[in-house]
Each structure stands twice: as C-alpha cells, then as structure tokens.
Short mmCIF file of all heavy atoms in Angstrom, two decimals:
data_model
loop_
_atom_site.label_atom_id
_atom_site.label_comp_id
_atom_site.label_asym_id
_atom_site.label_seq_id
_atom_site.Cartn_x
_atom_site.Cartn_y
_atom_site.Cartn_z
N TYR T 1340 91.86 120.87 98.16
CA TYR T 1340 93.14 120.30 98.49
C TYR T 1340 93.68 119.56 97.27
O TYR T 1340 93.03 118.67 96.74
CB TYR T 1340 92.97 119.28 99.65
CG TYR T 1340 94.22 118.93 100.39
CD1 TYR T 1340 95.17 119.89 100.76
CD2 TYR T 1340 94.49 117.61 100.71
CE1 TYR T 1340 96.29 119.55 101.47
CE2 TYR T 1340 95.68 117.25 101.39
CZ TYR T 1340 96.56 118.23 101.77
OH TYR T 1340 97.71 117.90 102.47
N ASN T 1341 94.84 120.02 96.78
CA ASN T 1341 95.37 119.55 95.53
C ASN T 1341 96.89 119.28 95.62
O ASN T 1341 97.55 119.66 96.62
CB ASN T 1341 95.11 120.58 94.43
CG ASN T 1341 93.63 120.86 94.28
OD1 ASN T 1341 92.89 120.13 93.64
ND2 ASN T 1341 93.16 121.95 94.89
N ILE T 1342 97.45 118.73 94.57
CA ILE T 1342 98.89 118.38 94.55
C ILE T 1342 99.66 119.61 94.06
O ILE T 1342 99.45 120.12 92.98
CB ILE T 1342 99.17 117.18 93.62
CG1 ILE T 1342 98.34 115.97 94.07
CG2 ILE T 1342 100.68 116.89 93.60
CD1 ILE T 1342 98.41 114.83 93.08
N SER T 1343 100.64 120.02 94.86
CA SER T 1343 101.41 121.21 94.54
C SER T 1343 102.45 120.91 93.45
O SER T 1343 102.68 119.78 93.04
CB SER T 1343 102.14 121.71 95.77
OG SER T 1343 102.70 123.01 95.57
N ALA T 1344 103.13 121.96 93.01
CA ALA T 1344 104.02 121.89 91.82
C ALA T 1344 105.22 121.02 92.09
O ALA T 1344 106.00 121.30 93.01
CB ALA T 1344 104.43 123.26 91.42
N MET T 1345 105.41 119.97 91.33
CA MET T 1345 106.61 119.12 91.35
C MET T 1345 106.81 118.62 89.91
O MET T 1345 105.98 117.90 89.37
CB MET T 1345 106.47 117.94 92.33
CG MET T 1345 106.34 118.33 93.79
SD MET T 1345 106.13 116.94 94.89
CE MET T 1345 104.38 116.54 94.63
N SER T 1346 107.97 118.94 89.32
CA SER T 1346 108.20 118.65 87.90
C SER T 1346 108.62 117.22 87.70
O SER T 1346 109.28 116.58 88.58
CB SER T 1346 109.30 119.56 87.39
OG SER T 1346 108.97 120.93 87.49
N TYR T 1347 108.30 116.70 86.49
CA TYR T 1347 108.95 115.48 86.08
C TYR T 1347 110.39 115.83 85.79
O TYR T 1347 110.72 116.71 85.02
CB TYR T 1347 108.30 114.89 84.80
CG TYR T 1347 109.16 113.75 84.24
CD1 TYR T 1347 109.39 112.62 84.99
CD2 TYR T 1347 109.70 113.83 82.94
CE1 TYR T 1347 110.19 111.61 84.48
CE2 TYR T 1347 110.44 112.81 82.46
CZ TYR T 1347 110.70 111.69 83.20
OH TYR T 1347 111.50 110.67 82.72
N GLY T 1348 111.29 115.03 86.32
CA GLY T 1348 112.73 115.34 86.31
C GLY T 1348 113.24 115.45 87.74
O GLY T 1348 114.18 114.77 88.10
N SER T 1349 112.52 116.26 88.54
CA SER T 1349 112.80 116.25 89.96
C SER T 1349 112.14 115.01 90.59
O SER T 1349 112.67 114.40 91.50
CB SER T 1349 112.33 117.53 90.63
OG SER T 1349 110.91 117.69 90.47
N LEU T 1350 110.95 114.65 90.06
CA LEU T 1350 110.34 113.36 90.50
C LEU T 1350 110.44 112.32 89.33
O LEU T 1350 110.61 112.73 88.21
CB LEU T 1350 108.81 113.60 90.78
CG LEU T 1350 108.41 114.53 91.89
CD1 LEU T 1350 106.94 114.35 92.19
CD2 LEU T 1350 109.25 114.33 93.12
N SER T 1351 110.38 111.11 89.76
CA SER T 1351 110.47 110.03 88.76
C SER T 1351 109.19 109.91 87.92
O SER T 1351 108.12 110.43 88.30
CB SER T 1351 110.76 108.70 89.47
OG SER T 1351 109.67 108.33 90.26
N LYS T 1352 109.27 109.14 86.84
CA LYS T 1352 108.11 108.96 86.02
C LYS T 1352 107.05 108.15 86.71
O LYS T 1352 105.88 108.39 86.57
CB LYS T 1352 108.54 108.24 84.71
CG LYS T 1352 109.22 106.89 84.90
CD LYS T 1352 109.65 106.30 83.49
CE LYS T 1352 110.76 107.16 82.87
NZ LYS T 1352 111.22 106.57 81.57
N THR T 1353 107.43 107.18 87.57
CA THR T 1353 106.42 106.40 88.28
C THR T 1353 105.73 107.26 89.35
O THR T 1353 104.56 107.16 89.57
CB THR T 1353 107.05 105.18 88.96
OG1 THR T 1353 108.27 105.57 89.68
CG2 THR T 1353 107.45 104.14 87.91
N ALA T 1354 106.48 108.16 89.99
CA ALA T 1354 105.90 109.04 91.01
C ALA T 1354 104.90 110.00 90.32
O ALA T 1354 103.82 110.22 90.84
CB ALA T 1354 106.99 109.83 91.71
N VAL T 1355 105.29 110.59 89.22
CA VAL T 1355 104.42 111.52 88.53
C VAL T 1355 103.11 110.83 88.07
O VAL T 1355 101.99 111.32 88.23
CB VAL T 1355 105.12 112.19 87.32
CG1 VAL T 1355 104.14 112.97 86.47
CG2 VAL T 1355 106.23 113.09 87.84
N THR T 1356 103.31 109.65 87.50
CA THR T 1356 102.10 108.90 87.02
C THR T 1356 101.19 108.56 88.16
O THR T 1356 99.95 108.64 88.03
CB THR T 1356 102.54 107.64 86.32
OG1 THR T 1356 103.48 107.94 85.28
CG2 THR T 1356 101.36 106.91 85.66
N ALA T 1357 101.76 108.12 89.32
CA ALA T 1357 100.97 107.76 90.45
C ALA T 1357 100.20 108.98 91.00
O ALA T 1357 99.03 108.88 91.42
CB ALA T 1357 101.82 107.14 91.52
N LEU T 1358 100.87 110.14 91.07
CA LEU T 1358 100.20 111.36 91.55
C LEU T 1358 99.05 111.77 90.67
O LEU T 1358 97.96 112.06 91.13
CB LEU T 1358 101.25 112.50 91.61
CG LEU T 1358 102.25 112.45 92.76
CD1 LEU T 1358 103.34 113.51 92.61
CD2 LEU T 1358 101.64 112.56 94.14
N SER T 1359 99.31 111.73 89.34
CA SER T 1359 98.23 112.10 88.41
C SER T 1359 97.07 111.09 88.47
O SER T 1359 95.89 111.45 88.43
CB SER T 1359 98.79 112.18 86.98
OG SER T 1359 97.79 112.53 86.09
N GLY T 1360 97.46 109.79 88.63
CA GLY T 1360 96.41 108.76 88.77
C GLY T 1360 95.62 108.93 90.02
O GLY T 1360 94.38 108.74 90.01
N GLY T 1361 96.27 109.31 91.11
CA GLY T 1361 95.56 109.56 92.39
C GLY T 1361 94.62 110.78 92.23
O GLY T 1361 93.50 110.77 92.80
N ALA T 1362 95.11 111.79 91.53
CA ALA T 1362 94.27 112.97 91.31
C ALA T 1362 93.00 112.63 90.51
O ALA T 1362 91.92 113.15 90.78
CB ALA T 1362 95.05 114.06 90.57
N LYS T 1363 93.13 111.71 89.54
CA LYS T 1363 91.98 111.28 88.78
C LYS T 1363 91.01 110.51 89.68
O LYS T 1363 89.78 110.77 89.62
CB LYS T 1363 92.41 110.41 87.60
CG LYS T 1363 91.27 109.94 86.74
CD LYS T 1363 91.71 109.05 85.58
CE LYS T 1363 90.56 108.62 84.74
NZ LYS T 1363 90.96 107.75 83.62
N LEU T 1364 91.51 109.55 90.46
CA LEU T 1364 90.64 108.79 91.34
C LEU T 1364 89.92 109.66 92.35
O LEU T 1364 88.73 109.44 92.64
CB LEU T 1364 91.44 107.71 92.08
CG LEU T 1364 92.00 106.54 91.24
CD1 LEU T 1364 92.90 105.68 92.12
CD2 LEU T 1364 90.90 105.71 90.69
N GLY T 1365 90.62 110.66 92.90
CA GLY T 1365 90.03 111.50 93.94
C GLY T 1365 89.40 112.74 93.49
O GLY T 1365 88.91 113.53 94.28
N ARG T 1366 89.44 113.03 92.14
CA ARG T 1366 88.82 114.26 91.54
C ARG T 1366 89.41 115.49 92.15
O ARG T 1366 88.71 116.41 92.63
CB ARG T 1366 87.30 114.21 91.74
CG ARG T 1366 86.59 113.10 91.03
CD ARG T 1366 85.08 113.07 91.22
NE ARG T 1366 84.49 114.29 90.70
CZ ARG T 1366 83.91 115.19 91.48
NH1 ARG T 1366 83.80 115.06 92.80
NH2 ARG T 1366 83.38 116.30 90.95
N PHE T 1367 90.73 115.58 92.08
CA PHE T 1367 91.41 116.82 92.46
C PHE T 1367 92.49 117.11 91.44
O PHE T 1367 92.63 116.34 90.47
CB PHE T 1367 91.95 116.77 93.88
CG PHE T 1367 92.84 115.60 94.22
CD1 PHE T 1367 94.23 115.77 94.23
CD2 PHE T 1367 92.28 114.40 94.54
CE1 PHE T 1367 95.06 114.71 94.57
CE2 PHE T 1367 93.14 113.28 94.83
CZ PHE T 1367 94.50 113.46 94.88
N ALA T 1368 93.24 118.16 91.59
CA ALA T 1368 94.13 118.67 90.55
C ALA T 1368 95.58 118.40 90.93
O ALA T 1368 95.96 118.33 92.09
CB ALA T 1368 93.90 120.14 90.28
N HIS T 1369 96.44 118.30 89.88
CA HIS T 1369 97.83 118.01 90.00
C HIS T 1369 98.57 119.07 89.23
O HIS T 1369 98.50 119.20 88.02
CB HIS T 1369 98.13 116.60 89.38
CG HIS T 1369 99.52 116.19 89.40
ND1 HIS T 1369 100.01 115.08 88.66
CD2 HIS T 1369 100.62 116.67 90.09
CE1 HIS T 1369 101.32 114.97 88.86
NE2 HIS T 1369 101.70 115.89 89.73
N ASN T 1370 99.39 119.88 89.98
CA ASN T 1370 100.22 120.89 89.39
C ASN T 1370 101.48 120.25 88.72
O ASN T 1370 102.17 119.49 89.43
CB ASN T 1370 100.63 121.98 90.41
CG ASN T 1370 101.23 123.19 89.78
OD1 ASN T 1370 102.18 123.13 89.05
ND2 ASN T 1370 100.67 124.33 90.10
N THR T 1371 101.76 120.58 87.48
CA THR T 1371 102.83 119.91 86.78
C THR T 1371 104.21 120.34 87.23
O THR T 1371 105.22 119.65 86.93
CB THR T 1371 102.78 120.21 85.22
OG1 THR T 1371 102.99 121.61 85.05
CG2 THR T 1371 101.39 119.80 84.70
N GLY T 1372 104.34 121.51 87.89
CA GLY T 1372 105.67 122.08 88.14
C GLY T 1372 106.13 122.74 86.83
O GLY T 1372 105.56 122.54 85.77
N GLU T 1373 107.22 123.50 86.91
CA GLU T 1373 107.62 124.32 85.78
C GLU T 1373 108.40 123.46 84.73
O GLU T 1373 108.77 124.02 83.68
CB GLU T 1373 108.53 125.45 86.19
CG GLU T 1373 109.82 125.09 86.88
CD GLU T 1373 110.65 126.29 87.29
OE1 GLU T 1373 110.94 127.13 86.39
OE2 GLU T 1373 111.01 126.38 88.45
N GLY T 1374 108.57 122.19 84.92
CA GLY T 1374 109.28 121.37 83.94
C GLY T 1374 108.46 120.92 82.73
O GLY T 1374 108.94 120.20 81.88
N GLY T 1375 107.22 121.40 82.66
CA GLY T 1375 106.39 121.12 81.49
C GLY T 1375 105.46 119.92 81.70
O GLY T 1375 105.56 119.22 82.68
N VAL T 1376 104.57 119.74 80.78
CA VAL T 1376 103.61 118.67 80.79
C VAL T 1376 104.24 117.38 80.18
O VAL T 1376 104.45 117.35 78.97
CB VAL T 1376 102.30 119.06 80.05
CG1 VAL T 1376 101.28 117.88 80.13
CG2 VAL T 1376 101.72 120.33 80.58
N SER T 1377 104.50 116.44 81.00
CA SER T 1377 105.13 115.17 80.54
C SER T 1377 104.12 114.16 80.15
O SER T 1377 102.97 114.20 80.54
CB SER T 1377 106.07 114.62 81.62
OG SER T 1377 105.27 114.01 82.60
N PRO T 1378 104.50 113.13 79.37
CA PRO T 1378 103.59 112.06 79.04
C PRO T 1378 103.06 111.33 80.31
O PRO T 1378 101.98 110.75 80.28
CB PRO T 1378 104.43 111.07 78.23
CG PRO T 1378 105.54 111.93 77.68
CD PRO T 1378 105.78 112.97 78.70
N PHE T 1379 103.82 111.40 81.39
CA PHE T 1379 103.45 110.72 82.61
C PHE T 1379 102.35 111.46 83.36
O PHE T 1379 101.57 110.85 84.05
CB PHE T 1379 104.67 110.48 83.48
CG PHE T 1379 105.80 109.91 82.65
CD1 PHE T 1379 106.90 110.71 82.34
CD2 PHE T 1379 105.71 108.64 82.17
CE1 PHE T 1379 107.91 110.20 81.54
CE2 PHE T 1379 106.78 108.13 81.38
CZ PHE T 1379 107.86 108.91 81.09
N HIS T 1380 102.34 112.82 83.25
CA HIS T 1380 101.19 113.60 83.78
C HIS T 1380 99.91 113.18 83.02
O HIS T 1380 98.86 113.03 83.61
CB HIS T 1380 101.42 115.06 83.55
CG HIS T 1380 102.49 115.69 84.41
ND1 HIS T 1380 103.74 115.96 83.95
CD2 HIS T 1380 102.47 116.05 85.72
CE1 HIS T 1380 104.46 116.47 84.97
NE2 HIS T 1380 103.72 116.54 86.05
N ILE T 1381 100.01 113.04 81.72
CA ILE T 1381 98.89 112.70 80.87
C ILE T 1381 98.46 111.25 81.15
O ILE T 1381 97.26 110.96 81.21
CB ILE T 1381 99.21 112.93 79.39
CG1 ILE T 1381 99.64 114.36 79.11
CG2 ILE T 1381 98.02 112.50 78.52
CD1 ILE T 1381 98.57 115.43 79.46
N GLU T 1382 99.43 110.36 81.24
CA GLU T 1382 99.12 108.93 81.44
C GLU T 1382 98.28 108.69 82.70
O GLU T 1382 97.40 107.82 82.71
CB GLU T 1382 100.44 108.13 81.53
CG GLU T 1382 100.26 106.65 81.68
CD GLU T 1382 101.60 105.93 81.82
OE1 GLU T 1382 102.62 106.47 81.42
OE2 GLU T 1382 101.59 104.79 82.40
N GLY T 1383 98.58 109.44 83.78
CA GLY T 1383 97.81 109.26 85.01
C GLY T 1383 96.34 109.63 84.86
O GLY T 1383 95.49 109.10 85.56
N GLY T 1384 96.07 110.61 83.95
CA GLY T 1384 94.68 110.98 83.69
C GLY T 1384 94.06 112.00 84.57
O GLY T 1384 92.89 112.32 84.43
#
C-alpha cells in the first residue's frame, strides 16, 4: 500500500513534504507524479 502519483504544483509544498515524511516513517513508497522530483519530495525522506 503506497502513495499514488500527485505532483508538486497540484499539491502544496507542505502536503508533498508531509506525504514523503509519512512514507519514510511507515516504510512505504511515494509516487512523485509527472511534475518531477521536487526538493519537498526529497526533504520528506
């Protein structure tokens, strides 16, 4: 069970960071969406 594709731009920077952070805490994956890999995807870890 993982996070489906949602791009930064359609979602806010805080939403993207929180999703990526949640994926790190729960050991699951976060799809970046077609908008590219943003610093906020990386920041969440």
Side-chain angles (χ1 to χ4, degrees):
Y1340 198 46
N1341 303 279
I1342 302 170
S1343 193
M1345 293 180 283
S1346 301
Y1347 169 60
S1349 59
L1350 297 193
S1351 67
K1352 58 183 66 178
T1353 50
V1355 169
T1356 307
L1358 287 172
S1359 181
K1363 180 181 181 180
L1364 290 174
R1366 297 181 59 245
F1367 54 101
H1369 178 195
N1370 192 305
T1371 66
E1373 64 179 304
V1376 182
S1377 74
F1379 313 107
H1380 289 102
I1381 302 300
E1382 181 183 339

